[in-house]
Amino acid sequence: MRIDIITVLPELIQSPLSHSILKRAQEKGLVEIYFHNLRDFATDKYKSVDDYSFGGGAGMVMKVEPVFRVIESLKSERNYDEIIYTSPDGIPFSQRLANELSSITNMIILCGHYKGVDQRIRDHLITREISIGDYVLSGGELAAAVITDAIVRIIPGVISDETSALTDSFQDNLLAPPVYTRPADYESLKVPDVLLSGNAKEIEKWRFEKSLERTRKLRPGLLEKNEDAE
Ligand code: ADE
């Protein structure tokens, strides 16, 4: 997979994508991530990427020319399956959408800024608009980092234990069960016996029950989406 991220603040997004699982995924060649500074595609001598909103109103708007230039230059080199724009008014990001996006080959993510981008960009270049939640961030970089992380970690081969990503919270619209590690007894705080029993079937059953219990208590709405849980 190749991900091209267009931003006015490359430093803000480079770091979260260069550690741990994301770093290993890139070292293994399972994903290539490129950062493009929008300012490098500005067309005037001040390198401006934003301007006042037609019709007045507070806040600047991301200009059309630099965004068209960078996206058209990328599109002239390869086909893109998705051109994503991060914005609080996009569709809500979810595990299901992460799963869907994890199987595509090339994608661009345009990080929104200021009051938003000129609508012509949304109308003519963008294929999906994604929000990471009903709150407003200072810019789309953190949202792009969240989306990229969630997508890349589930690309086959990225997590060495193949089943690990499949047992994450939300994969079956269920929250993950509790987990424990050594010691089995910490000052009389004990790990449930079943996990020490070595009985794989019983352990699987216990985990499923705990997942259901947690989901019922914390996120009952998820169960309505889940036929298996009935
Ligand atoms: N940019 C600002 N807020 C955002 C959000 N909640 N999701 C995606 N992009 C954003």
Side-chain angles (χ1 to χ4, degrees):
M1 175 186 288
R2 175 182 169 121
I3 305 177
D4 289 275
I5 299 178
I6 303 167
T7 165
V8 290
L9 287 171
E11 314 78 36
L12 186 56
I13 187 168
Q14 270 158 344
S15 175
L17 302 181
S18 50
H19 302 278
S20 175
I21 293 176
L22 273 279
K23 181 179 178 196
R24 282 207 304 279
Q26 290 169 82
E27 285 169 352
K28 284 189 195 168
L30 294 168
V31 65
E32 291 170 72
I33 304 177
Y34 296 90
F35 302 93
H36 307 276
N37 191 336
L38 190 60
R39 228 165 265 289
D40 296 340
F41 295 83
T43 47
D44 65 344
K45 66 176 176 181
Y46 304 106
K47 299 264 170 220
S48 46
V49 291
D50 60 326
D51 208 337
Y52 294 101
S53 182
F54 274 128
M60 304 295 274
V61 176
M62 275 168 93
K63 282 167 71 65
V64 80
E65 300 98 316
V67 176
F68 265 79
R69 276 181 79 185
V70 60
I71 292 183
E72 277 172 355
S73 107
L74 288 169
K75 280 168 73 174
S76 71
E77 290 179 31
R78 66 197 65 76
N79 289 324
Y80 284 91
D81 309 289
E82 294 285 357
I83 303 179
I84 293 165
Y85 170 55
T86 57
S87 171
D89 55 9
I91 57 157
F93 193 53
S94 61
Q95 188 62 51
R96 178 191 288 220
L97 187 48
N99 292 348
E100 189 187 330
L101 294 174
S102 73
S103 64
I104 73 178
T105 310
N106 297 318
M107 92 174 75
I108 293 173
I109 306 180
L110 170 65
C111 303
H113 250 272
Y114 315 112
K115 209 64 197 158
V117 295
D118 187 300
Q119 185 62 34
R120 287 166 288 186
I121 295 166
R122 299 175 80 156
D123 291 344
H124 298 288
L125 294 175
I126 300 301
T127 60
R128 265 184 217 258
E129 304 182 333
I130 300 181
S131 162
I132 62 159
D134 289 344
Y135 41 80
V136 179
L137 302 165
S138 313
E141 282 72 17
L142 297 179
V146 166
I147 293 165
T148 304
D149 185 306
I151 291 171
V152 170
R153 63 186 296 284
I154 51 176
I155 294 173
V158 168
I159 299 181
S160 39
D161 178 350
E162 277 281 354
T163 57
S164 176
L166 296 175
T167 56
D168 285 341
S169 280
F170 304 113
Q171 281 295 5
D172 301 316
N173 284 324
L174 285 177
L175 300 182
V179 290
Y180 299 85
T181 186
R182 288 184 288 185
D185 184 341
Y186 172 68
E187 297 183 0
S188 298
L189 298 176
K190 297 209 171 98
V191 169
D193 286 340
V194 60
L195 295 178
L196 312 175
S197 69
N199 185 332
K201 225 172 159 183
E202 281 303 308
I203 293 171
E204 197 186 331
K205 190 166 155 248
W206 180 87
R207 285 186 170 147
F208 181 66
E209 279 162 7
K210 288 288 166 190
S211 274
L212 265 180
E213 203 178 295
R214 248 187 191 181
T215 313
R216 250 185 220 125
K217 188 161 166 220
L218 301 171
R219 297 289 305 276
L222 288 174
L223 292 175
E224 285 156 28
K225 301 183 194 166
N226 192 345
E227 288 158 17
D228 299 343
E230 295 312 309

PDB file of all heavy atoms in Angstrom, residues 21 24 95 99 153-172 174 176-177 179 207:
ATOM      1  N   ILE A  21       4.578  -0.179  15.555  1.00  0.00           N
ATOM      2  CA  ILE A  21       4.007  -1.019  14.486  1.00  0.00           C
ATOM      3  C   ILE A  21       4.080  -0.315  13.135  1.00  0.00           C
ATOM      4  O   ILE A  21       4.401  -0.920  12.112  1.00  0.00           O
ATOM      5  CB  ILE A  21       2.548  -1.388  14.842  1.00  0.00           C
ATOM      6  CG1 ILE A  21       2.536  -2.306  16.067  1.00  0.00           C
ATOM      7  CG2 ILE A  21       1.841  -2.051  13.675  1.00  0.00           C
ATOM      8  CD1 ILE A  21       1.146  -2.654  16.568  1.00  0.00           C
ATOM      9  N   ARG A  24       7.609  -0.500  11.805  1.00  0.00           N
ATOM     10  CA  ARG A  24       7.933  -1.842  11.309  1.00  0.00           C
ATOM     11  C   ARG A  24       7.245  -2.124   9.978  1.00  0.00           C
ATOM     12  O   ARG A  24       7.826  -2.725   9.080  1.00  0.00           O
ATOM     13  CB  ARG A  24       7.543  -2.899  12.344  1.00  0.00           C
ATOM     14  CG  ARG A  24       8.539  -3.011  13.485  1.00  0.00           C
ATOM     15  CD  ARG A  24       8.511  -4.410  14.097  1.00  0.00           C
ATOM     16  NE  ARG A  24       7.182  -4.785  14.547  1.00  0.00           N
ATOM     17  CZ  ARG A  24       6.650  -4.390  15.708  1.00  0.00           C
ATOM     18  NH1 ARG A  24       7.334  -3.635  16.527  1.00  0.00           N
ATOM     19  NH2 ARG A  24       5.433  -4.775  16.045  1.00  0.00           N
ATOM     20  N   GLN A  95     -14.049   0.941  12.690  1.00  0.00           N
ATOM     21  CA  GLN A  95     -13.219  -0.237  12.392  1.00  0.00           C
ATOM     22  C   GLN A  95     -13.610  -0.813  11.029  1.00  0.00           C
ATOM     23  O   GLN A  95     -12.764  -1.234  10.255  1.00  0.00           O
ATOM     24  CB  GLN A  95     -13.394  -1.294  13.481  1.00  0.00           C
ATOM     25  CG  GLN A  95     -12.434  -2.458  13.356  1.00  0.00           C
ATOM     26  CD  GLN A  95     -10.976  -2.018  13.480  1.00  0.00           C
ATOM     27  OE1 GLN A  95     -10.613  -1.329  14.401  1.00  0.00           O
ATOM     28  NE2 GLN A  95     -10.145  -2.398  12.524  1.00  0.00           N
ATOM     29  N   ASN A  99     -11.078  -1.442   7.998  1.00  0.00           N
ATOM     30  CA  ASN A  99     -10.914  -2.744   7.335  1.00  0.00           C
ATOM     31  C   ASN A  99     -11.032  -2.588   5.821  1.00  0.00           C
ATOM     32  O   ASN A  99     -10.234  -3.139   5.062  1.00  0.00           O
ATOM     33  CB  ASN A  99     -11.992  -3.743   7.791  1.00  0.00           C
ATOM     34  CG  ASN A  99     -11.840  -4.144   9.251  1.00  0.00           C
ATOM     35  OD1 ASN A  99     -10.822  -3.866   9.872  1.00  0.00           O
ATOM     36  ND2 ASN A  99     -12.858  -4.782   9.798  1.00  0.00           N
ATOM     37  N   ARG A 153      -2.147  -0.975  10.643  1.00  0.00           N
ATOM     38  CA  ARG A 153      -1.894  -2.067  11.588  1.00  0.00           C
ATOM     39  C   ARG A 153      -2.643  -3.350  11.221  1.00  0.00           C
ATOM     40  O   ARG A 153      -2.272  -4.432  11.670  1.00  0.00           O
ATOM     41  CB  ARG A 153      -2.216  -1.650  13.030  1.00  0.00           C
ATOM     42  CG  ARG A 153      -3.644  -1.307  13.288  1.00  0.00           C
ATOM     43  CD  ARG A 153      -3.812  -0.763  14.698  1.00  0.00           C
ATOM     44  NE  ARG A 153      -3.483  -1.750  15.715  1.00  0.00           N
ATOM     45  CZ  ARG A 153      -4.269  -2.769  16.059  1.00  0.00           C
ATOM     46  NH1 ARG A 153      -5.441  -2.921  15.471  1.00  0.00           N
ATOM     47  NH2 ARG A 153      -3.893  -3.629  16.980  1.00  0.00           N
ATOM     48  N   ILE A 154      -3.690  -3.230  10.381  1.00  0.00           N
ATOM     49  CA  ILE A 154      -4.428  -4.454  10.010  1.00  0.00           C
ATOM     50  C   ILE A 154      -4.077  -4.969   8.611  1.00  0.00           C
ATOM     51  O   ILE A 154      -4.679  -5.932   8.147  1.00  0.00           O
ATOM     52  CB  ILE A 154      -5.962  -4.260  10.146  1.00  0.00           C
ATOM     53  CG1 ILE A 154      -6.417  -2.996   9.426  1.00  0.00           C
ATOM     54  CG2 ILE A 154      -6.365  -4.239  11.600  1.00  0.00           C
ATOM     55  CD1 ILE A 154      -7.927  -2.801   9.447  1.00  0.00           C
ATOM     56  N   ILE A 155      -3.093  -4.344   7.947  1.00  0.00           N
ATOM     57  CA  ILE A 155      -2.631  -4.922   6.674  1.00  0.00           C
ATOM     58  C   ILE A 155      -1.993  -6.278   6.998  1.00  0.00           C
ATOM     59  O   ILE A 155      -1.177  -6.362   7.916  1.00  0.00           O
ATOM     60  CB  ILE A 155      -1.588  -3.988   5.998  1.00  0.00           C
ATOM     61  CG1 ILE A 155      -2.249  -2.665   5.589  1.00  0.00           C
ATOM     62  CG2 ILE A 155      -0.932  -4.653   4.798  1.00  0.00           C
ATOM     63  CD1 ILE A 155      -1.257  -1.628   5.064  1.00  0.00           C
ATOM     64  N   PRO A 156      -2.391  -7.341   6.278  1.00  0.00           N
ATOM     65  CA  PRO A 156      -1.835  -8.665   6.601  1.00  0.00           C
ATOM     66  C   PRO A 156      -0.305  -8.634   6.642  1.00  0.00           C
ATOM     67  O   PRO A 156       0.321  -8.076   5.753  1.00  0.00           O
ATOM     68  CB  PRO A 156      -2.348  -9.561   5.460  1.00  0.00           C
ATOM     69  CG  PRO A 156      -3.606  -8.875   5.001  1.00  0.00           C
ATOM     70  CD  PRO A 156      -3.359  -7.390   5.188  1.00  0.00           C
ATOM     71  N   GLY A 157       0.249  -9.219   7.699  1.00  0.00           N
ATOM     72  CA  GLY A 157       1.714  -9.277   7.833  1.00  0.00           C
ATOM     73  C   GLY A 157       2.281  -8.171   8.700  1.00  0.00           C
ATOM     74  O   GLY A 157       3.421  -8.255   9.145  1.00  0.00           O
ATOM     75  N   VAL A 158       1.504  -7.128   8.958  1.00  0.00           N
ATOM     76  CA  VAL A 158       2.033  -6.016   9.758  1.00  0.00           C
ATOM     77  C   VAL A 158       2.177  -6.431  11.220  1.00  0.00           C
ATOM     78  O   VAL A 158       3.226  -6.259  11.830  1.00  0.00           O
ATOM     79  CB  VAL A 158       1.173  -4.743   9.615  1.00  0.00           C
ATOM     80  CG1 VAL A 158       1.555  -3.704  10.649  1.00  0.00           C
ATOM     81  CG2 VAL A 158       1.334  -4.157   8.209  1.00  0.00           C
ATOM     82  N   ILE A 159       1.124  -7.002  11.780  1.00  0.00           N
ATOM     83  CA  ILE A 159       1.228  -7.529  13.147  1.00  0.00           C
ATOM     84  C   ILE A 159       1.636  -8.988  13.014  1.00  0.00           C
ATOM     85  O   ILE A 159       0.975  -9.753  12.315  1.00  0.00           O
ATOM     86  CB  ILE A 159      -0.118  -7.414  13.908  1.00  0.00           C
ATOM     87  CG1 ILE A 159      -0.519  -5.943  13.998  1.00  0.00           C
ATOM     88  CG2 ILE A 159      -0.011  -8.024  15.286  1.00  0.00           C
ATOM     89  CD1 ILE A 159      -1.811  -5.705  14.741  1.00  0.00           C
ATOM     90  N   SER A 160       2.727  -9.366  13.708  1.00  0.00           N
ATOM     91  CA  SER A 160       3.267 -10.700  13.444  1.00  0.00           C
ATOM     92  C   SER A 160       2.293 -11.797  13.878  1.00  0.00           C
ATOM     93  O   SER A 160       2.115 -12.778  13.186  1.00  0.00           O
ATOM     94  CB  SER A 160       4.618 -10.877  14.113  1.00  0.00           C
ATOM     95  OG  SER A 160       4.581 -10.263  15.369  1.00  0.00           O
ATOM     96  N   ASP A 161       1.628 -11.626  15.035  1.00  0.00           N
ATOM     97  CA  ASP A 161       0.625 -12.597  15.437  1.00  0.00           C
ATOM     98  C   ASP A 161      -0.638 -12.310  14.628  1.00  0.00           C
ATOM     99  O   ASP A 161      -1.414 -11.420  14.932  1.00  0.00           O
ATOM    100  CB  ASP A 161       0.347 -12.461  16.935  1.00  0.00           C
ATOM    101  CG  ASP A 161      -0.733 -13.429  17.405  1.00  0.00           C
ATOM    102  OD1 ASP A 161      -1.377 -14.048  16.553  1.00  0.00           O
ATOM    103  OD2 ASP A 161      -0.909 -13.540  18.605  1.00  0.00           O
ATOM    104  N   GLU A 162      -0.830 -13.117  13.574  1.00  0.00           N
ATOM    105  CA  GLU A 162      -1.912 -12.886  12.595  1.00  0.00           C
ATOM    106  C   GLU A 162      -3.274 -12.666  13.246  1.00  0.00           C
ATOM    107  O   GLU A 162      -4.081 -11.900  12.772  1.00  0.00           O
ATOM    108  CB  GLU A 162      -2.024 -14.082  11.657  1.00  0.00           C
ATOM    109  CG  GLU A 162      -1.028 -14.056  10.506  1.00  0.00           C
ATOM    110  CD  GLU A 162      -1.463 -13.129   9.388  1.00  0.00           C
ATOM    111  OE1 GLU A 162      -2.591 -12.598   9.478  1.00  0.00           O
ATOM    112  OE2 GLU A 162      -0.674 -12.929   8.446  1.00  0.00           O
ATOM    113  N   THR A 163      -3.519 -13.417  14.344  1.00  0.00           N
ATOM    114  CA  THR A 163      -4.864 -13.357  14.909  1.00  0.00           C
ATOM    115  C   THR A 163      -5.057 -12.124  15.781  1.00  0.00           C
ATOM    116  O   THR A 163      -6.165 -11.791  16.148  1.00  0.00           O
ATOM    117  CB  THR A 163      -5.145 -14.602  15.772  1.00  0.00           C
ATOM    118  OG1 THR A 163      -4.146 -14.652  16.763  1.00  0.00           O
ATOM    119  CG2 THR A 163      -5.166 -15.849  14.943  1.00  0.00           C
ATOM    120  N   SER A 164      -3.976 -11.449  16.115  1.00  0.00           N
ATOM    121  CA  SER A 164      -4.089 -10.370  17.084  1.00  0.00           C
ATOM    122  C   SER A 164      -5.030  -9.261  16.635  1.00  0.00           C
ATOM    123  O   SER A 164      -5.870  -8.813  17.399  1.00  0.00           O
ATOM    124  CB  SER A 164      -2.697  -9.834  17.387  1.00  0.00           C
ATOM    125  OG  SER A 164      -2.793  -8.745  18.236  1.00  0.00           O
ATOM    126  N   ALA A 165      -4.884  -8.835  15.376  1.00  0.00           N
ATOM    127  CA  ALA A 165      -5.755  -7.756  14.893  1.00  0.00           C
ATOM    128  C   ALA A 165      -7.204  -8.230  14.818  1.00  0.00           C
ATOM    129  O   ALA A 165      -8.132  -7.444  15.001  1.00  0.00           O
ATOM    130  CB  ALA A 165      -5.290  -7.267  13.528  1.00  0.00           C
ATOM    131  N   LEU A 166      -7.392  -9.535  14.558  1.00  0.00           N
ATOM    132  CA  LEU A 166      -8.760 -10.048  14.439  1.00  0.00           C
ATOM    133  C   LEU A 166      -9.478 -10.070  15.775  1.00  0.00           C
ATOM    134  O   LEU A 166     -10.699 -10.116  15.833  1.00  0.00           O
ATOM    135  CB  LEU A 166      -8.742 -11.474  13.853  1.00  0.00           C
ATOM    136  CG  LEU A 166      -8.200 -11.579  12.432  1.00  0.00           C
ATOM    137  CD1 LEU A 166      -8.116 -13.037  12.002  1.00  0.00           C
ATOM    138  CD2 LEU A 166      -9.096 -10.807  11.472  1.00  0.00           C
ATOM    139  N   THR A 167      -8.710 -10.083  16.870  1.00  0.00           N
ATOM    140  CA  THR A 167      -9.350 -10.131  18.186  1.00  0.00           C
ATOM    141  C   THR A 167      -9.386  -8.749  18.852  1.00  0.00           C
ATOM    142  O   THR A 167      -9.666  -8.634  20.029  1.00  0.00           O
ATOM    143  CB  THR A 167      -8.627 -11.139  19.109  1.00  0.00           C
ATOM    144  OG1 THR A 167      -7.244 -10.773  19.176  1.00  0.00           O
ATOM    145  CG2 THR A 167      -8.741 -12.545  18.607  1.00  0.00           C
ATOM    146  N   ASP A 168      -9.089  -7.701  18.088  1.00  0.00           N
ATOM    147  CA  ASP A 168      -9.218  -6.339  18.618  1.00  0.00           C
ATOM    148  C   ASP A 168     -10.659  -6.040  18.975  1.00  0.00           C
ATOM    149  O   ASP A 168     -11.579  -6.632  18.412  1.00  0.00           O
ATOM    150  CB  ASP A 168      -8.852  -5.301  17.535  1.00  0.00           C
ATOM    151  CG  ASP A 168      -7.369  -5.210  17.293  1.00  0.00           C
ATOM    152  OD1 ASP A 168      -6.605  -5.641  18.156  1.00  0.00           O
ATOM    153  OD2 ASP A 168      -6.998  -4.692  16.223  1.00  0.00           O
ATOM    154  N   SER A 169     -10.830  -5.036  19.848  1.00  0.00           N
ATOM    155  CA  SER A 169     -12.180  -4.497  20.052  1.00  0.00           C
ATOM    156  C   SER A 169     -12.731  -4.068  18.696  1.00  0.00           C
ATOM    157  O   SER A 169     -11.967  -3.656  17.820  1.00  0.00           O
ATOM    158  CB  SER A 169     -12.122  -3.274  20.964  1.00  0.00           C
ATOM    159  OG  SER A 169     -12.036  -3.663  22.315  1.00  0.00           O
ATOM    160  N   PHE A 170     -14.039  -4.171  18.536  1.00  0.00           N
ATOM    161  CA  PHE A 170     -14.803  -3.701  17.371  1.00  0.00           C
ATOM    162  C   PHE A 170     -14.754  -4.633  16.177  1.00  0.00           C
ATOM    163  O   PHE A 170     -15.558  -4.492  15.268  1.00  0.00           O
ATOM    164  CB  PHE A 170     -14.375  -2.298  16.906  1.00  0.00           C
ATOM    165  CG  PHE A 170     -14.453  -1.279  17.988  1.00  0.00           C
ATOM    166  CD1 PHE A 170     -13.314  -0.695  18.496  1.00  0.00           C
ATOM    167  CD2 PHE A 170     -15.682  -0.925  18.527  1.00  0.00           C
ATOM    168  CE1 PHE A 170     -13.385   0.238  19.518  1.00  0.00           C
ATOM    169  CE2 PHE A 170     -15.774   0.008  19.550  1.00  0.00           C
ATOM    170  CZ  PHE A 170     -14.623   0.587  20.045  1.00  0.00           C
ATOM    171  N   GLN A 171     -13.824  -5.622  16.138  1.00  0.00           N
ATOM    172  CA  GLN A 171     -13.760  -6.447  14.934  1.00  0.00           C
ATOM    173  C   GLN A 171     -15.055  -7.220  14.719  1.00  0.00           C
ATOM    174  O   GLN A 171     -15.436  -7.469  13.607  1.00  0.00           O
ATOM    175  CB  GLN A 171     -12.539  -7.372  14.921  1.00  0.00           C
ATOM    176  CG  GLN A 171     -11.237  -6.676  14.523  1.00  0.00           C
ATOM    177  CD  GLN A 171     -11.220  -6.150  13.077  1.00  0.00           C
ATOM    178  OE1 GLN A 171     -12.220  -6.221  12.359  1.00  0.00           O
ATOM    179  NE2 GLN A 171     -10.113  -5.584  12.657  1.00  0.00           N
ATOM    180  N   ASP A 172     -15.723  -7.625  15.830  1.00  0.00           N
ATOM    181  CA  ASP A 172     -17.034  -8.287  15.682  1.00  0.00           C
ATOM    182  C   ASP A 172     -18.128  -7.412  16.267  1.00  0.00           C
ATOM    183  O   ASP A 172     -19.126  -7.920  16.762  1.00  0.00           O
ATOM    184  CB  ASP A 172     -17.056  -9.606  16.470  1.00  0.00           C
ATOM    185  CG  ASP A 172     -15.992 -10.554  16.002  1.00  0.00           C
ATOM    186  OD1 ASP A 172     -15.842 -10.681  14.779  1.00  0.00           O
ATOM    187  OD2 ASP A 172     -15.320 -11.156  16.864  1.00  0.00           O
ATOM    188  N   LEU A 174     -17.806  -6.149  18.981  1.00  0.00           N
ATOM    189  CA  LEU A 174     -17.740  -6.476  20.405  1.00  0.00           C
ATOM    190  C   LEU A 174     -16.488  -5.823  20.971  1.00  0.00           C
ATOM    191  O   LEU A 174     -15.469  -5.739  20.280  1.00  0.00           O
ATOM    192  CB  LEU A 174     -17.597  -7.991  20.606  1.00  0.00           C
ATOM    193  CG  LEU A 174     -18.826  -8.870  20.395  1.00  0.00           C
ATOM    194  CD1 LEU A 174     -18.432 -10.337  20.578  1.00  0.00           C
ATOM    195  CD2 LEU A 174     -19.934  -8.498  21.371  1.00  0.00           C
ATOM    196  N   ALA A 176     -13.150  -5.927  23.286  1.00  0.00           N
ATOM    197  CA  ALA A 176     -12.251  -7.042  23.602  1.00  0.00           C
ATOM    198  C   ALA A 176     -12.429  -7.458  25.068  1.00  0.00           C
ATOM    199  O   ALA A 176     -12.794  -6.640  25.907  1.00  0.00           O
ATOM    200  CB  ALA A 176     -10.809  -6.625  23.342  1.00  0.00           C
ATOM    201  N   PRO A 177     -12.159  -8.747  25.381  1.00  0.00           N
ATOM    202  CA  PRO A 177     -12.272  -9.209  26.772  1.00  0.00           C
ATOM    203  C   PRO A 177     -11.082  -8.702  27.609  1.00  0.00           C
ATOM    204  O   PRO A 177     -10.092  -8.252  27.040  1.00  0.00           O
ATOM    205  CB  PRO A 177     -12.207 -10.734  26.623  1.00  0.00           C
ATOM    206  CG  PRO A 177     -11.420 -10.962  25.384  1.00  0.00           C
ATOM    207  CD  PRO A 177     -11.729  -9.795  24.467  1.00  0.00           C
ATOM    208  N   VAL A 179      -7.626  -8.746  29.673  1.00  0.00           N
ATOM    209  CA  VAL A 179      -6.397  -9.543  29.522  1.00  0.00           C
ATOM    210  C   VAL A 179      -5.556  -9.404  30.789  1.00  0.00           C
ATOM    211  O   VAL A 179      -5.660  -8.407  31.497  1.00  0.00           O
ATOM    212  CB  VAL A 179      -5.570  -9.092  28.287  1.00  0.00           C
ATOM    213  CG1 VAL A 179      -6.253  -9.470  26.990  1.00  0.00           C
ATOM    214  CG2 VAL A 179      -5.266  -7.603  28.321  1.00  0.00           C
ATOM    215  N   ARG A 207     -13.809 -15.835  27.253  1.00  0.00           N
ATOM    216  CA  ARG A 207     -13.494 -14.552  26.601  1.00  0.00           C
ATOM    217  C   ARG A 207     -14.704 -13.992  25.860  1.00  0.00           C
ATOM    218  O   ARG A 207     -14.977 -12.790  25.915  1.00  0.00           O
ATOM    219  CB  ARG A 207     -12.312 -14.715  25.635  1.00  0.00           C
ATOM    220  CG  ARG A 207     -11.011 -14.835  26.384  1.00  0.00           C
ATOM    221  CD  ARG A 207      -9.821 -14.855  25.444  1.00  0.00           C
ATOM    222  NE  ARG A 207      -8.589 -14.735  26.204  1.00  0.00           N
ATOM    223  CZ  ARG A 207      -7.442 -15.305  25.874  1.00  0.00           C
ATOM    224  NH1 ARG A 207      -7.356 -16.050  24.785  1.00  0.00           N
ATOM    225  NH2 ARG A 207      -6.380 -15.117  26.625  1.00  0.00           N
TER     226      ARG A 207
END
